Amino acid sequence: MQKEDSINNRVKLYPDGKYRWIYEVPMLKNPSIIIDVFKVVGISLGIVWLFMVLLSVYDGDFSLESLWSTSMVFLGLMLVFAVIVFLAYVILAWHYGWKYVVLFTMDKSEIVHQQMPYQVKKAQVLGALAAMIGGAAGNLGMVGTGVLAASHTTSTSTLVRVNRLIPVRRMNLIKVNQKLHKNRIYVPDEDFNFVYDFLCQQCVNAKD
C-alpha cells in the first residue's frame, strides 16, 4: 500500500502539458503550516508593540521602565495567543482528518496550490485527474472537474514574478515568494529535485 501511495503522489505530466501531483500534508508531523500562522501572529503583535512604543516616544512618556512594562504585556499576549493558535490548529487538523490535501498544477508560466475540501480524499482527486486523462482527446479540462472545482482556496504564483525560492527539504516544502504573495509548494521526496530545478529554471528573477 505504501508503495502504491508513493506512486500516486508522484509528479506527472498530463496531456494538457501541465505537471500535477497531490500531496497530503500530515498536519501534526509537518509543522510548516502552524509555523506560518505563528509568524503572522507574531508580526502582527510586533507591529502593535512598535506602534505603542513610538506613541509613548511622541507623547514624551518613553522610559526604560515603560518600555519594559509594555514589552512584558505583549510577551504575555504572545504566550496567550500562541496557546490559542495551537489549540485551534489541533482542532482544525482533527476536523481535516489530520491531513491537508492539496493539488498542485505546474507549467512554465505558473504554479497553482489548490486546497481540497476536508471531505475530499486523495483517491477522489486521483479519480478526477484520471477522468481528465480519459477525456484528453475531446474535452480536456471539462471531464472530471467536479472535485477539482470544489477547492476551498487557490494560490497561484506567476513564475516570472517570483523573487525568491526557498527549499525546505526536511518538510518537503518549497517556498515560492513574490513581493506581495507567498505560496507554499509541497513535493514528495522522489520529485523534490525535479520540481525545484524546474522552478529555478522558470523563475528567472528569483534570488537563491
Side-chain angles (χ1 to χ4, degrees):
M1 178 64 68
Q2 290 181 349
K3 184 176 181 181
E4 181 180 352
D5 286 344
S6 177
I7 293 173
N8 288 337
N9 282 336
R10 297 295 300 271
V11 176
K12 299 182 184 69
L13 179 62
Y14 282 76
D16 60 349
K18 298 179 184 292
Y19 292 96
R20 291 184 176 86
W21 67 98
I22 302 106
Y23 196 94
E24 292 182 334
V25 183
M27 296 180 70
L28 294 187
K29 294 181 180 179
N30 189 325
S32 58
I33 298 175
I34 195 170
I35 287 174
D36 281 344
V37 176
F38 279 138
K39 284 181 179 179
V40 170
V41 173
I43 291 172
S44 300
L45 287 175
I47 291 173
V48 177
W49 171 84
L50 181 60
F51 174 78
M52 295 297 293
V53 171
L54 293 176
L55 187 62
S56 68
V57 172
Y58 179 79
D59 290 339
D61 298 329
F62 178 79
S63 66
L64 291 178
E65 183 178 350
S66 66
L67 177 63
W68 176 256
S69 177
T70 302
S71 299
M72 287 299 98
V73 170
F74 275 91
L75 283 174
L77 286 174
M78 288 185 70
L79 289 175
V80 171
F81 275 105
V83 172
I84 293 173
V85 167
F86 177 77
L87 291 177
Y89 180 81
V90 172
I91 293 172
L92 180 65
W94 170 77
H95 182 65
Y96 272 45
W98 311 110
K99 292 179 180 180
Y100 175 78
V101 182
V102 197
L103 169 66
F104 294 101
T105 303
M106 178 178 73
D107 59 20
K108 292 185 177 181
S109 62
E110 64 182 20
I111 187 165
V112 180
H113 172 135
Q114 190 173 354
Q115 177 190 348
M116 295 292 105
Y118 73 91
Q119 74 271 21
V120 173
K121 304 305 179 185
K122 183 178 68 176
Q124 293 173 273
V125 185
L126 286 168
L129 292 176
M132 288 179 67
I133 295 176
N139 206 11
L140 179 65
M142 297 300 293
V143 181
T145 57
V147 170
L148 306 185
S151 63
H152 279 175
T153 57
T154 298
S155 180
T156 302
S157 295
T158 303
L159 300 186
V160 294
R161 297 179 181 174
V162 172
N163 57 18
R164 191 78 187 275
L165 290 172
I166 305 174
V168 188
R169 194 177 296 270
R170 69 183 183 280
M171 297 183 188
N172 293 94
L173 172 66
I174 301 173
K175 298 180 181 180
V176 180
N177 296 342
Q178 296 175 218
K179 287 183 179 180
L180 299 176
H181 176 66
K182 299 182 185 296
N183 208 343
R184 297 295 181 258
I185 308 302
Y186 294 92
V187 190
D189 290 331
E190 301 88 347
D191 297 305
F192 193 93
N193 289 338
F194 168 75
V195 173
Y196 181 62
D197 290 342
F198 183 93
L199 291 173
C200 286
Q201 292 172 16
Q202 306 306 323
C203 298
V204 294
N205 295 311
K207 298 178 181 179
D208 295 333

